[in-house]
Amino acid sequence: QVMLVESGGGLVQAGGSLRLSCVASGRTITRSVMAWFRQAPGKEREFVAAMSGNGVAIFYGDSVKGRCTISRDNAKNTVYLQMNSLKPEDTAVYYCAQGGGLYPSRSSTDYVYWGQGTQVTVSS
């Protein structure tokens, strides 16, 4: 059974930083595309960042580009999302996802496994 468990969310003031983690179990993330999405109340799930299995191809959503960094530690089966200069509009539940393809995708439908999410709240 594949499980993705996110952590690291919380309440932070605007301008602050958070580092989210996603630990995978039941299936190695090596060679898997890994991604982060987010969903704010009343809004659709939004692409945040994705990274290919070899770490070469990395994409970011326009709303977080320049403020977020996705990284991975395959030995720990863990993916990270470093978020800096946080804004109130970054408030959302952040989800980790593991894809079945070889190339990062911005579409949530291309991801097979999902975590339960971690809440990030940015106060103004």
Side-chain angles (χ1 to χ4, degrees), residues 57-93:
I58 298 175
F59 297 134
Y60 293 99
D62 290 340
S63 59
V64 302
K65 196 174 295 182
R67 299 188 296 120
C68 288
T69 303
I70 186 172
S71 61
R72 62 197 295 156
D73 185 338
N74 287 342
K76 295 182 178 180
N77 234 29
T78 301
V79 178
Y80 304 97
L81 183 70
Q82 177 68 42
M83 302 189 296
N84 301 321
S85 302
L86 284 163
K87 306 174 183 179
E89 50 264 44
D90 293 319
T91 295
V93 177

Side-chain angles (χ1 to χ4, degrees), residues 14-57:
S17 299
L18 282 174
R19 187 195 195 203
L20 307 184
S21 300
C22 170
V23 180
S25 61
R27 187 174 189 263
T28 178
I29 68 168
T30 305
R31 294 188 294 275
S32 289
V33 172
M34 299 298 297
W36 289 93
F37 288 79
R38 69 185 184 185
Q39 189 165 17
K43 295 187 177 181
E44 293 186 354
R45 192 162 293 191
E46 178 188 12
F47 171 75
V48 176
M51 172 184 276
S52 61
N54 61 9
V56 173

